[in-house]
Amino acid sequence: MAGDPEGLLRHRVIRTDAVDARERYQLLTSLVVPRPIGWVSTRSADGVLNVAPFSFFSAVASSPMLVSLSIGTRGGVAKDSLRNILDRGAFCVNVVTEGQLEAMNRTAANLPPEGDEFAFAGLAVAEAETVDAPFVANCPAVLECELYKHLDLGSAGGLVLGEVKGVRLDPELPIVEGSAFVDSEGLRPVGRLWGFNYTLLGEVRVLPRPEV
Ligand SMILES: Cc1cc2nc3c(=O)[nH]c(=O)nc-3n(C[C@H](O)[C@H](O)[C@H](O)COP(=O)(O)O)c2cc1C
């Protein structure tokens, strides 16, 4: 095999154009793990409240403070969260912690656009200070975001970049002394693996960078 004269490589290479969409989804979501969950709250043009989880979610930059969300389509139509973000230019990312795992899951139900997902999931709602969006009132950490850029991904939906205009923190969240780091043991974040599998905070290893 080219590049492997001693025959040591044992990998099986799956060409992504030779498998179906389901398999591509299964490979991607079981290998890009664990993913943080952006629990996204929005308001529609008509004022209907919406909240739904998105694990195709990531930090992009810190100055300006940017996050990304990839929101798929349903039956060829944009999901309500994407529609709302484009209509209002704003959304909140509620950080999913252990205490909210089940409530977050309830908000993945596919309600019609006129259904209030806060009410459906029994969640208290409050209004962001810096952007035109609601947030989950008892969530300990919330990123208040303004739409920064939208990239149309065609049949894959849309990629949204949001600029974080406000970081809302419960005063009980422990902050690492002398910094703005939120202590992970205090936050108790949840990560998504694949399917119905989630991961909670396990052992934290401290590994300083090597010096040259
Ligand atoms: C943990 C979790 C993560 C999810 N991540 C995504 C995602 O990254 N992109 C996406 O389009 N849908 C994702 N979904 C599915 C949406 O949450 C679901 O389609 C939801 O009903 C969309 O709501 P909306 O139509 O109100 O926007 C995820 C569901 C769960 C439970």
Side-chain angles (χ1 to χ4, degrees), residues 166-185:
V167 177
R168 176 179 287 277
L169 296 177
D170 184 320
E172 297 205 347
L173 269 183
I175 306 293
V176 178
E177 205 183 325
S179 80
F181 287 119
V182 175
D183 178 68
S184 308
E185 302 276 0

Side-chain angles (χ1 to χ4, degrees), residues 49-51 106-107 111 114-125:
L49 300 177
N50 192 286
V51 55
R106 284 198 295 277
T107 66
L111 293 197
E114 63 280 10
D116 176 338
E117 276 161 342
F118 279 88
F120 177 78
L123 291 168
V125 63

Side-chain angles (χ1 to χ4, degrees), residues 21-51:
R22 187 160 167 264
E23 225 169 306
R24 282 193 288 272
Y25 174 79
Q26 292 174 344
L27 287 165
L28 185 68
T29 56
S30 59
L31 290 171
V32 183
V33 281
R35 295 183 301 286
I37 302 166
W39 196 17
V40 174
S41 46
T42 54
R43 178 184 288 104
S44 75
D46 300 340
V48 179
L49 300 177
N50 192 286
V51 55

Side-chain angles (χ1 to χ4, degrees), residues 1-206:
M1 187 197 295
D4 182 26
E6 291 169 44
L8 296 174
L9 294 183
R10 303 170 61 85
H11 301 116
R12 176 167 68 103
V13 175
I14 300 162
R15 294 195 177 261
T16 54
D17 58 2
V19 294
D20 63 17
R22 187 160 167 264
E23 225 169 306
R24 282 193 288 272
Y25 174 79
Q26 292 174 344
L27 287 165
L28 185 68
T29 56
S30 59
L31 290 171
V32 183
V33 281
R35 295 183 301 286
I37 302 166
W39 196 17
V40 174
S41 46
T42 54
R43 178 184 288 104
S44 75
D46 300 340
V48 179
L49 300 177
N50 192 286
V51 55
F54 296 94
S55 67
F56 285 9
F57 164 68
S58 194
V60 171
S62 54
S63 295
M65 201 191 266
L66 300 176
V67 294
S68 66
L69 277 176
S70 171
I71 304 183
T73 52
R74 191 190 291 115
V77 178
K79 293 187 182 178
D80 299 334
S81 301
L82 179 60
R83 182 74 278 126
N84 294 351
I85 291 170
L86 297 180
D87 285 347
R88 292 269 179 180
F91 61 99
C92 283
V93 175
N94 304 271
V95 175
V96 179
T97 59
E98 260 182 59
Q100 274 130 4
L101 182 53
E102 276 153 37
M104 175 281 294
N105 195 40
R106 284 198 295 277
T107 66
N110 179 16
L111 293 197
E114 63 280 10
D116 176 338
E117 276 161 342
F118 279 88
F120 177 78
L123 291 168
V125 63
E127 195 50 37
E129 190 172 304
T130 60
V131 300
D132 178 15
F135 69 93
V136 178
N138 65 347
C139 194
V142 180
L143 308 176
E144 299 185 355
C145 303
E146 188 176 274
L147 177 62
Y148 182 82
K149 278 213 162 70
H150 166 238
L151 179 65
D152 188 342
L153 300 178
S155 60
L159 178 72
V160 165
L161 293 187
E163 179 171 356
V164 182
K165 299 305 245 181
V167 177
R168 176 179 287 277
L169 296 177
D170 184 320
E172 297 205 347
L173 269 183
I175 306 293
V176 178
E177 205 183 325
S179 80
F181 287 119
V182 175
D183 178 68
S184 308
E185 302 276 0
L187 184 68
R188 309 296 306 163
V190 169
R192 187 175 191 201
L193 299 171
W194 54 269
F196 300 152
N197 300 312
Y198 297 90
T199 181
L200 308 180
L201 190 68
E203 180 194 352
V204 176
R205 293 202 183 174
V206 181

